[in-house]
Amino acid sequence: MRSVTTMVTAAVLLLGPGVPAEPATAGDALRTHPVTPGFQGGGGDTIPPALRNVTSLRVLPRRPRQAGYVRVFVHCPPESNHAIIGSTAFTLKGSRRLYREVGLGLSDRGLARRGVSISYSALPGRHGACLTCVKVTMDQRTRVRRIRVIGRDSAPLRVRRFGVRQFFGG
C-alpha cells in the first residue's frame, strides 16, 4: 500500500501543479460550465421547460427487503398541489387492507420526497407503485373538496424476503 501512495505522490510532483496560482473569486461560480453550453453554475435549482409538465416517480431501492424502507421521489406538473402513491408493498402490520396509499405535499416546483416503510407482513414478489398527481380545491363555505387528476405514473418494485444477515453485513 505504501508503494502505491509513493507512486501517486511522485506522479503528482512530476506532472506539475494543476491548480492556478490565483485564488478563486465569488464570480467564478457564476460563469458558464465549460462542457455544457448555456449551463449557469449559480442557478442550479431550475427545471428545464421541457420537463416541467412531466410526471415522474422513482422508488429507491428497487428491490427492498421485507421490514425495510424505501425512498420515494416524485415530480408532478406545477399546477398540482398533492401527490398520492399507492402500492401493495406498503401494507401495514396487522391491517387487512392489501393496498395502501401514502400522500405527499408538493413544493412550488412540484417536487416531493418521503420515506415509506415496507412491513414484515408484505408479500414477497413483484409489486407496483402508482403515482397520481392531483389538484385539490376546497370551497371554504361548504367544505366540499374537488379533486382533479393532473398526471399519473408507475414504477416497478420487487420485495425480497426478510433476512437477518442484512443487519450484520452479510
Side-chain angles (χ1 to χ4, degrees):
M1 188 67 187
R2 288 183 185 173
S3 63
V4 173
T5 308
T6 306
M7 289 178 62
V8 169
T9 305
V12 168
L13 291 174
L14 289 175
L15 292 176
V19 181
E22 67 273 356
T25 61
D28 290 341
L30 298 177
R31 292 188 184 134
T32 58
H33 195 268
V35 177
T36 310
F39 174 78
Q40 295 293 327
D45 61 344
T46 60
I47 298 174
L51 298 177
R52 283 193 186 136
N53 293 325
V54 174
T55 304
S56 64
L57 169 68
R58 187 167 189 187
V59 180
L60 295 177
R62 294 185 189 273
R63 297 179 55 217
R65 292 190 181 269
Q66 292 172 325
Y69 285 88
V70 293
R71 197 82 172 130
V72 177
F73 298 97
V74 172
H75 176 259
C76 290
E79 60 264 11
S80 60
N81 59 4
H82 196 73
I84 302 169
I85 301 161
S87 177
T88 53
F90 301 155
T91 57
L92 294 174
K93 178 182 175 184
S95 176
R96 291 186 180 184
R97 293 187 178 202
L98 295 177
Y99 190 82
R100 178 176 166 217
E101 290 184 340
V102 178
L104 284 94
L106 298 174
S107 68
D108 295 338
R109 297 184 305 153
L111 301 172
R113 65 178 185 260
R114 182 175 176 179
V116 181
S117 67
I118 295 179
S119 72
Y120 180 76
S121 59
L123 297 174
R126 297 180 186 270
H127 298 272
C130 299
L131 165 69
T132 306
C133 298
V134 295
K135 179 166 181 70
V136 180
T137 55
M138 184 165 135
D139 186 6
Q140 293 294 329
R141 189 175 54 83
T142 60
R143 302 281 185 187
V144 174
R145 289 189 310 161
R146 183 171 168 250
I147 301 172
R148 193 177 85 203
V149 176
I150 304 294
R152 298 177 190 263
D153 195 13
S154 63
L157 189 64
R158 183 172 171 230
V159 177
R160 296 182 290 163
R161 288 179 48 88
F162 174 79
V164 178
R165 290 185 292 172
Q166 67 181 337
F167 299 110
F168 298 105

